[in-house]
Amino acid sequence: MSANIAEMEKRRAAAKLGGGQKRIDAQHAKGKLTARERLDVLLDEGSFEEMDLYVEHDCVDFGMQDQKIPGDGVVTGSGTINGRLVYVFSQDFTVFGGSLSARHAQKICKVMDAAMKVGAPVIGLNDSGGARIQEGVASLGGYADVFQRNVLASGVVPQLSLIMGPCAGGAVYSPAMTDFIFMVKDSSYMFVTGPEVVKTVTNEVVTQEELGGAITHSSKTSVSDLALENDIEALLAARDFFDFLPSSNRDDVPERPSADAWDRLEPSLDTIIPPSANQPYDMHEVIRKTVDEGEFFELQPLHASNIIIGFGRIEGRTVGIVANQPMVLAGVLDINSSKKAARFVRFCDAFSIPIITFVDVPGFLPGTDQEHNGIIKHGAKLLFAYGEATVPKITVITRKAYGGAYDVMSSKHLRGDLNYAWPTAEIAVMGAKGAVEIIFRGQNADGIAAKTKEYEDRFANPFVAASRGYIDEVIYPHSTRRRIALGLRKLRNKSLENPWKKHDNIPL
Ligand code: HXC
């Protein structure tokens, strides 16, 4: 018996050494943790239960039959994060560069299937040279098997990808189909074709970091939701983030005790709106003063910052927050901000996370750039996302709600459950000056000024909308948290269904 156990221990130890000490040292020298060290940071201590430790590839080409490493370049299994179950895979760059063989893919598929069966999120730690070159088409088939599962799992269990090394070629499409991507600065990159191919085909000279590094994808492309400084920071951020997510679409949002009184008043919000309508203020302040303990987990802070998205909690329960940001482009809706918020709204709706929307929006951004790049189609995404969402929706208009953007931003007409306005709200077809210049074209400056004043007096307030029932109540800004908490309590058992359909046809 003891000999058998000794044999098992020997095999385990060999498998855990991955590609060997030299390659582990090389990984450390790049400032990266190994696949197993990463799981140690991500998961609760001692909670990791590994599967498929002894799986090996079956490739016999290019001498591969003599190079077998148990585990085959990916560590898979389950564990807990703050006590909640999660399935994980962590690619091991020390084994054939973390490249994906058919068996490696099979291991990933196994954890995804298990997660789907029991309703638990999947977190993938990506660090891979892509398709295992020696395996050819078997590797491509393996990728497609993973892709198919990403699709089927979408909207069923949350999927989070951490990119912690190379992720190139078709391999990018698995993370791309997961709900969120966090990237590590300087050591990770994602591109469909790398700098060398780019140079050959287009003559452009570009570094890996510029082409597909963490900053590029977190600011320009929005492929990534966050750029973190190093492996540890990324893994700890993933732990914090995980705490906001429901385990599956069958589960309620997680709940945790909060010491923050649900009816806490915030008098400073009564004076946060500047006297002039053109002066900005930071919507982050409104958000932080509303959520539990001021804790707001923002996503995509570097991309389309004219809209803010992220998670907070009210009475210990997760809420999704979408807010126009008057500090950036006056909070206008444009292509990027519409797409950013639409995807977030759809995630919240898929996973029963109530959506709180703070509105201060002067409208859609004008210009040929926006029109020619499809603001019609992209703006419609956000409209569509809000319109189809059946989760509790609470809207607070703090200042401007102009034009089509008023409709889009979780208005009553899109089945907003509770639509509040601060007394500073201005709900109108457009800003007073622009409106008057159209309807009183040709008038002299004095006439325009007088009519602008008249238009402002008539429309630069929330009461016209409230008189029609489009606003449920005009509230004291200081009572915003209390109103939202009460609203969420009322809406806990909200029941609303869209008509039966195979699926919708959101303007992609
Ligand atoms: C097999 C691979 C490999 C791969 C790396 N290795 N990539 N083995 N298949 N795809 C091995 C190397 O041979 C080496 O083995 C070890 O991993 C570490 O690689 P290095 O090159 O020494 O590391 P580094 O200098 O850090 O460079 C990393 C790298 C580079 C940039 C990722 O290895 C690279 O360019 N690899 C090939 C990338 C690629 O073209 N992949 C296919 C993409 S197409 P030893 O034994 O020396 O340690 C694709 C299609 C997917 O993925 C399609 C899905 C639909």
Side-chain angles (χ1 to χ4, degrees):
M1 183 63 180
S2 60
N4 294 349
I5 289 178
E7 171 66 13
M8 180 185 80
E9 284 173 351
K10 197 176 105 200
R11 283 176 180 257
R12 275 191 179 179
K16 287 186 177 170
L17 208 54
Q21 196 56 49
K22 217 173 101 204
R23 292 191 182 89
I24 292 175
D25 294 342
Q27 180 87 344
H28 287 159
K30 289 182 201 155
K32 292 158 68 176
L33 298 178
T34 65
R36 286 174 193 283
E37 289 165 347
R38 286 169 176 163
L39 290 175
D40 284 345
V41 179
L42 178 69
L43 300 172
D44 295 339
E45 201 179 341
S47 71
F48 181 51
E49 279 194 285
E50 188 162 353
M51 291 197 280
D52 286 344
L53 182 66
Y54 308 108
V55 165
E56 293 174 347
H57 69 74
D58 56 0
C59 178
V60 291
D61 293 309
F62 303 105
M64 286 298 277
Q65 66 278 14
D66 303 324
Q67 299 181 55
K68 297 212 176 198
I69 298 180
D72 205 31
V74 63
V75 182
T76 59
S78 61
T80 58
I81 294 179
N82 291 320
R84 293 169 61 229
L85 178 65
V86 60
Y87 280 83
V88 289
F89 65 88
S90 179
Q91 291 180 313
D92 185 350
F93 192 79
T94 71
V95 179
F96 309 119
S99 58
L100 185 135
S101 66
R103 287 279 161 80
H104 175 129
Q106 179 190 307
K107 286 181 65 173
I108 295 176
C109 291
K110 197 193 254 190
V111 286
M112 294 184 74
D113 290 344
M116 290 275 280
K117 207 158 35 184
V118 301
V122 180
I123 301 182
L125 312 183
N126 295 256
D127 188 358
S128 166
R132 178 86 49 86
I133 293 166
Q134 298 88 334
E135 284 204 11
V137 71
S139 162
L140 300 186
Y143 267 120
D145 290 339
V146 176
F147 296 160
Q148 180 66 68
R149 280 164 178 79
N150 288 132
V151 174
L152 297 181
S154 181
V156 179
V157 294
Q159 302 178 77
L160 169 64
S161 301
L162 270 63
I163 314 297
M164 314 187 84
C167 183
V172 296
Y173 287 113
S174 172
M177 287 191 287
T178 63
D179 297 301
F180 302 101
I181 297 181
F182 294 177
M183 290 183 76
V184 180
K185 286 184 197 165
D186 302 324
S187 59
S188 76
Y189 50 86
M190 296 178 79
F191 34 67
V192 174
T193 50
E196 276 157 40
V197 177
V198 169
K199 182 158 184 290
T200 312
V201 177
T202 71
N203 257 328
E204 291 168 287
V205 177
V206 64
T207 64
Q208 278 183 351
E209 192 62 25
E210 284 163 0
L211 186 63
I215 293 295
T216 298
H217 283 313
S218 308
S219 53
K220 279 203 179 112
T221 69
S222 86
V223 164
S224 168
D225 292 280
L226 277 187
L228 288 313
E229 290 301 325
N230 53 47
D231 281 15
I232 302 264
E233 201 184 279
L235 294 158
L236 294 180
R239 280 181 65 88
D240 285 347
F241 185 63
F242 183 83
D243 287 347
F244 288 98
L245 305 179
S247 293
S248 77
N249 64 346
R250 300 193 295 268
D251 285 283
D252 203 356
V253 293
E255 189 164 352
R256 69 180 200 189
S258 165
D260 202 350
W262 68 273
D263 57 353
R264 169 172 54 77
L265 300 180
E266 198 57 66
S268 62
L269 290 182
D270 289 341
T271 52
I272 192 172
I273 303 294
S276 156
N278 298 326
Q279 258 177 285
Y281 59 95
D282 190 356
M283 192 64 99
H284 286 109
E285 194 179 333
V286 179
I287 297 169
R288 284 203 206 93
K289 287 181 168 164
T290 301
V291 296
D292 289 356
E293 280 111 21
E295 197 190 327
F296 177 54
F297 196 108
E298 185 171 358
L299 294 162
Q300 298 190 29
L302 304 177
H303 176 78
S305 346
N306 39 330
I307 208 153
I308 301 170
I309 57 168
F311 294 113
R313 294 184 185 85
I314 299 282
E315 292 199 85
R317 296 167 61 86
T318 305
V319 290
I321 291 176
V322 179
N324 308 116
Q325 168 60 296
M327 303 263 287
V328 181
L329 294 172
V332 77
L333 278 182
D334 58 2
I335 291 172
N336 287 343
S337 60
S338 300
K339 291 199 296 192
K340 170 178 165 181
R343 185 160 157 80
F344 182 70
V345 165
R346 297 192 97 216
F347 177 83
C348 292
D349 189 48
F351 289 100
S352 308
I353 300 172
I355 301 164
I356 313 294
T357 305
F358 291 101
V359 183
D360 187 348
V361 63
F364 280 98
L365 183 62
T368 49
D369 178 61
Q370 289 288 307
E371 296 291 348
H372 293 173
N373 284 299
I375 183 68
I376 296 175
K377 184 170 271 195
H378 300 298
K381 292 184 163 111
L382 184 54
L383 175 58
F384 199 110
Y386 270 123
E388 72 175 342
T390 56
V391 288
K393 293 187 280 194
I394 300 183
T395 307
V396 180
I397 301 176
T398 58
R399 190 168 60 174
K400 296 169 199 161
Y402 289 164
Y406 153 75
D407 279 340
V408 170
M409 293 301 296
S410 199
S411 64
K412 199 70 183 164
H413 324 281
L414 299 181
R415 302 186 295 181
D417 294 298
L418 290 167
N419 290 66
Y420 294 126
W422 288 2
T424 42
E426 304 168 18
I427 304 165
V429 173
M430 60 202 298
K433 191 151 179 295
V436 166
E437 278 167 0
I438 291 172
I439 51 183
F440 297 104
R441 188 173 295 152
Q443 290 223 2
N444 62 25
D446 288 348
I448 293 281
K451 290 291 180 195
T452 302
K453 170 84 175 63
E454 191 182 327
Y455 194 92
E456 274 171 4
D457 290 346
R458 174 84 180 102
F459 292 118
N461 64 64
F463 299 106
V464 179
S467 73
R468 292 175 178 271
Y470 298 167
I471 293 297
D472 294 302
E473 181 62 299
V474 182
I475 63 170
Y476 289 107
H478 69 240
S479 70
T480 302
R481 173 177 164 84
R482 190 174 67 85
R483 292 283 187 162
I484 290 174
L486 277 176
L488 291 171
R489 283 187 197 174
K490 271 185 274 204
L491 293 165
R492 191 76 70 87
N493 294 325
K494 175 180 175 184
S495 165
L496 177 65
E497 275 184 23
N498 292 329
W500 184 91
K501 55 183 91 171
K502 187 171 176 198
H503 58 70
D504 57 41
N505 189 15
I506 189 166
L508 289 175

